[in-house]
Amino acid sequence: MSAERVFQVLLCSGLLAGGWLYGKYWKKAAISSDHGESSGELRSQNAELTRELDETRDELAQIRSLLAQGSLAIPEDLIAFVEKDSGMVFPKAPIAKLASPDIFRNAAERNLELLFGKDGVEEEQHAWTTIGLLPPNDILRAQWIAIETNGTRGLFDLRSGEILLPEDFDPLSIPDSGALVHQLARQLQIQNHPFPESWKSTDEARAWLAIHRGAASGVQSRYLRRRAAAEQVDWEDKSDDREALLLQLSPSIQGVANFPHLEGADYAKKAYLESRDAYLSIFRTPPLSTFKILYPHLEPIEPSETKEPIQLLGALGIRLLFDPYLGNEAADELAQAWRGDRYQIDVSKLNWQVTMATPELAQTFARGLQQIEVEGRSINVDGSHIDISIPLKNDR
């Protein structure tokens, strides 16, 4: 029998043994009470049962420690559900491993670098802070890693293609099983549609991530509803670790972090309900921009053809930039009117070019920028185009 199967058997056996020992104790207590046994005899029997239960727990802990170095056996019913729901099959057997908090953090950091480049997070932080999208004291890399790992019940390592689960993962619990289903869906997506070799922009990377995570959230939700109905339990995920952390961060970070789970999930759900082919097409030809996910009813804005990736805010960034100052409706109007942007950072300044749908909306965009206090910024409007120049501070 494999180590993984031993773990599952021992885990179930341990739970049954614990219940049996606990019941045995109370049964003996009741019988002894009826027969007038002394309190000293009861304490002796209780100590013996406690010792047996502690030994069982220690054995389970040792098995967990051993399995942390290898892969876990994934229940076949979970694999079958994910494959059927997603309309894909695993070309290779899915892999999941127990991981320590340090391994989780390292994997989350690798994921960031794969998506945005080795120094991409720091470059984006510098640009966002200069433009006014991010408070000056925010440390983007640390915040992203915290969002990915704080209280998480699973993480997908993009580099290794493996699922990481916390060391206290419980395969019998509803939320932990749901978290595993989510990561299985992501592993299935990647195995059938491998990770892209490059991006035209970080906005495209953000759109890709939103589709994959949003679709996986849909698979997870459908699994949880099915299991809750089958077990006739009224269950909902009441974990608030992630939400509590996000509330401590800036609105822009909250918006970017929630984008896959809200707009990305809505986009995937719409395709799922439309047809199986429509759903599979979002993985074959994923949206190339956040604009397409935010406004699927509008003509997509394709990124410029360049040899090197371009740096831009995209429709999502535009909406998040203006929302705290103009309100959701006005920010959304400007994001819908976005027709492209690009920024470059040189030694002394950040140059940012934005194109809007009409000259009138370009003027609205410029007036909106005036409400965001940025020292030394210049704004020039020429028809539908806005040129913004912002001097850099020397404290980078």
Side-chain angles (χ1 to χ4, degrees):
M1 184 181 292
S2 68
E4 294 88 344
R5 189 59 64 188
V6 169
F7 169 70
Q8 289 184 330
V9 171
L10 282 179
L11 181 61
C12 294
S13 300
L15 293 172
L16 292 172
W20 177 80
L21 288 170
Y22 189 70
K24 183 179 178 182
Y25 164 71
W26 283 110
K27 183 177 179 181
K28 275 186 171 290
I31 294 173
S32 299
S33 178
D34 292 341
H35 290 80
E37 286 191 25
S38 68
S39 60
E41 290 174 333
L42 286 174
R43 284 195 296 271
S44 176
Q45 292 168 358
N46 186 23
E48 177 63 20
L49 292 173
T50 300
R51 183 188 63 78
E52 293 178 17
L53 184 56
D54 287 342
E55 288 178 354
T56 301
R57 288 172 175 163
D58 288 343
E59 289 171 358
L60 288 172
Q62 292 172 15
I63 294 296
R64 281 188 182 276
S65 178
L66 288 172
L67 289 176
Q69 306 302 320
S71 59
L72 293 173
I74 301 173
E76 292 295 333
D77 62 319
L78 295 190
I79 296 174
F81 177 87
V82 171
E83 289 185 327
K84 182 177 180 181
D85 188 84
S86 300
M88 295 177 271
V89 297
F90 282 100
K92 298 182 293 184
I95 299 175
K97 295 182 176 180
L98 297 181
S100 67
D102 282 344
I103 293 175
F104 265 85
R105 283 191 291 270
N106 292 337
E109 189 159 20
R110 287 196 302 272
N111 285 351
L112 278 179
E113 293 183 355
L114 277 174
L115 286 165
F116 305 117
K118 183 172 179 56
D119 300 315
V121 176
E122 284 71 28
E123 292 172 358
E124 191 164 66
Q125 174 185 319
H126 187 45
W128 285 14
T129 303
T130 302
I131 290 171
L133 184 60
L134 198 66
N137 296 324
D138 278 16
I139 308 299
L140 201 52
R141 180 181 291 267
Q143 290 177 342
W144 281 133
I145 293 173
I147 292 169
E148 291 292 297
T149 59
N150 185 57
T152 186
R153 304 305 297 167
L155 187 146
F156 183 66
D157 188 333
L158 289 171
R159 186 180 297 278
S160 68
E162 297 172 345
I163 295 169
L164 302 181
L165 301 170
E167 293 172 316
D168 62 346
F169 178 80
D170 180 3
L172 300 181
S173 82
I174 292 179
D176 279 12
S177 293
L180 176 54
V181 164
H182 182 104
Q183 303 306 329
L184 280 170
R186 294 202 63 199
Q187 193 171 52
L188 179 64
Q189 295 161 6
I190 287 291
Q191 285 193 13
N192 283 272
H193 304 282
F195 189 79
E197 294 182 1
S198 62
W199 310 105
K200 295 178 181 177
S201 69
T202 55
D203 189 64
E204 182 185 354
R206 202 157 271 129
W208 179 90
L209 184 64
I211 289 301
H212 281 246
R213 278 193 165 167
S217 293
V219 179
Q220 179 181 5
S221 296
R222 291 185 286 273
Y223 166 78
L224 291 174
R225 287 197 299 270
R226 176 176 173 177
R227 179 166 174 182
E231 299 182 13
Q232 297 183 335
V233 295
D234 184 16
W235 179 87
E236 60 177 327
D237 186 2
K238 296 181 179 180
S239 173
D240 58 358
D241 289 346
R242 184 176 184 275
E243 287 71 18
L245 172 61
L246 287 176
L247 288 174
Q248 302 176 41
L249 305 178
S250 69
S252 296
I253 299 301
Q254 293 180 41
V256 174
N258 285 328
F259 180 63
H261 304 284
L262 298 177
E263 291 87 354
D266 287 345
Y267 189 93
K269 181 179 180 181
K270 180 181 178 182
Y272 182 89
L273 294 175
E274 181 180 340
S275 69
R276 178 61 70 191
D277 186 64
Y279 183 69
L280 294 177
S281 71
I282 69 174
F283 305 109
R284 292 194 297 263
T285 55
L288 300 179
S289 68
T290 58
F291 181 94
K292 177 61 177 175
I293 297 176
L294 288 169
Y295 313 112
H297 59 289
L298 301 178
E299 286 295 320
I301 307 299
E302 302 295 346
S304 302
E305 290 293 336
T306 58
K307 292 183 179 180
E308 297 296 328
I310 62 174
Q311 297 172 305
L312 53 85
L313 289 195
L316 176 63
I318 296 298
R319 190 176 71 169
L320 294 174
L321 174 66
F322 288 111
D323 185 73
Y325 302 94
L326 306 181
N328 181 262
E329 186 175 340
D332 193 64
E333 181 183 7
L334 288 174
Q336 286 192 58
W338 172 88
R339 293 297 180 269
D341 77 288
R342 182 174 185 173
Y343 62 79
Q344 307 91 27
I345 297 177
D346 62 25
V347 176
S348 61
K349 63 182 181 297
L350 180 146
N351 296 309
W352 183 27
Q353 296 84 38
V354 182
T355 302
M356 301 296 285
T358 66
E360 292 75 20
L361 286 166
Q363 292 289 345
T364 303
F365 185 99
R367 288 194 297 270
L369 285 179
Q370 297 291 354
Q371 298 192 36
I372 306 172
E373 293 185 8
V374 174
E375 186 177 351
R377 177 188 55 205
S378 66
I379 304 171
N380 295 301
V381 181
D382 181 9
S384 300
H385 305 282
I386 309 104
D387 288 315
I388 303 105
S389 179
I390 308 172
L392 300 178
K393 296 181 179 180
N394 296 321
D395 57 355
R396 183 180 180 183

